[in-house]
Amino acid sequence: MLMGEYTHSMDAKGRVSLPADFRAALGDSFVITKGLDNCLFVYGPEEWQRLSEKLAKLPISKAEVRSFVRFFFAGARETECDKQGRFLVPANLRSYAKLDKEAVLIGVSNRVEIWSRAEWERYSDAVCPAVTEIAETLTELGI
């Protein structure tokens, strides 16, 4: 299970360190892609395969399915860490997530999310005050 929050500097080439516990959980190579809320999603090979199979079963006759699948797969890249535990975030993904000098990596159960520090702080400031109400809604859904 992936969990925790880490802030790392991004170098001029767009490389960022992946925390050791995330490396252990994701494996030697992993997939990075555009996520929701202007962050990036990182999946290990098994989770990426499961997600890909689920998306492949959706009806491509629906425009919103085609749009989401295009969005999700067009930005996807398989990558791996170098000997220092860093990986390259491709320029198009850095641009999408507004990444520059600092990246926040968070473990979210089956994936890692990569946020620009500024975007993560904005998101956290907006969501944290409402988390009790969100929890109540989830309780109503049986979670």
Side-chain angles (χ1 to χ4, degrees), residues 33-37 41 43 48 51-52 54-56 58-59 62-75 96:
T33 191
K34 293 176 186 174
L36 305 175
D37 303 313
F41 288 172
Y43 293 98
W48 179 254
L51 184 57
S52 297
K54 286 180 184 179
L55 292 174
L58 297 174
K62 293 186 175 258
E64 61 270 10
V65 169
R66 291 191 309 273
S67 295
F68 183 76
V69 170
R70 285 182 191 125
F71 166 83
F72 202 63
F73 282 96
Y96 169 78

Side-chain angles (χ1 to χ4, degrees), residues 78-98:
E78 188 171 355
T79 192
E80 58 188 32
C81 289
D82 63 17
K83 292 178 182 175
Q84 287 79 39
R86 300 171 304 182
F87 67 97
L88 177 67
V89 179
N92 64 317
L93 297 180
R94 289 195 310 268
S95 176
Y96 169 78
K98 303 175 186 172

Side-chain angles (χ1 to χ4, degrees), residues 94-115:
R94 289 195 310 268
S95 176
Y96 169 78
K98 303 175 186 172
L99 291 168
D100 51 16
K101 296 182 192 277
E102 287 188 298
V104 178
L105 293 86
I106 62 170
V108 187
S109 182
N110 66 340
R111 71 178 179 275
V112 172
E113 292 183 355
I114 305 172
W115 293 75

Side-chain angles (χ1 to χ4, degrees), residues 2-78:
L2 294 156
M3 57 187 170
E5 177 180 330
Y6 305 86
T7 301
H8 288 283
S9 296
M10 182 170 284
D11 71 13
K13 295 180 181 179
R15 295 176 300 194
V16 66
S17 293
L18 188 65
D21 54 338
F22 288 177
R23 286 195 308 269
L26 292 170
D28 292 334
S29 67
F30 45 89
V31 175
I32 183 171
T33 191
K34 293 176 186 174
L36 305 175
D37 303 313
N38 289 96
C39 72
L40 303 177
F41 288 172
V42 179
Y43 293 98
E46 296 84 18
E47 191 62 35
W48 179 254
Q49 185 64 34
R50 273 193 290 278
L51 184 57
S52 297
E53 289 169 3
K54 286 180 184 179
L55 292 174
K57 292 177 183 175
L58 297 174
I60 64 168
S61 60
K62 293 186 175 258
E64 61 270 10
V65 169
R66 291 191 309 273
S67 295
F68 183 76
V69 170
R70 285 182 191 125
F71 166 83
F72 202 63
F73 282 96
R77 295 279 296 274
E78 188 171 355

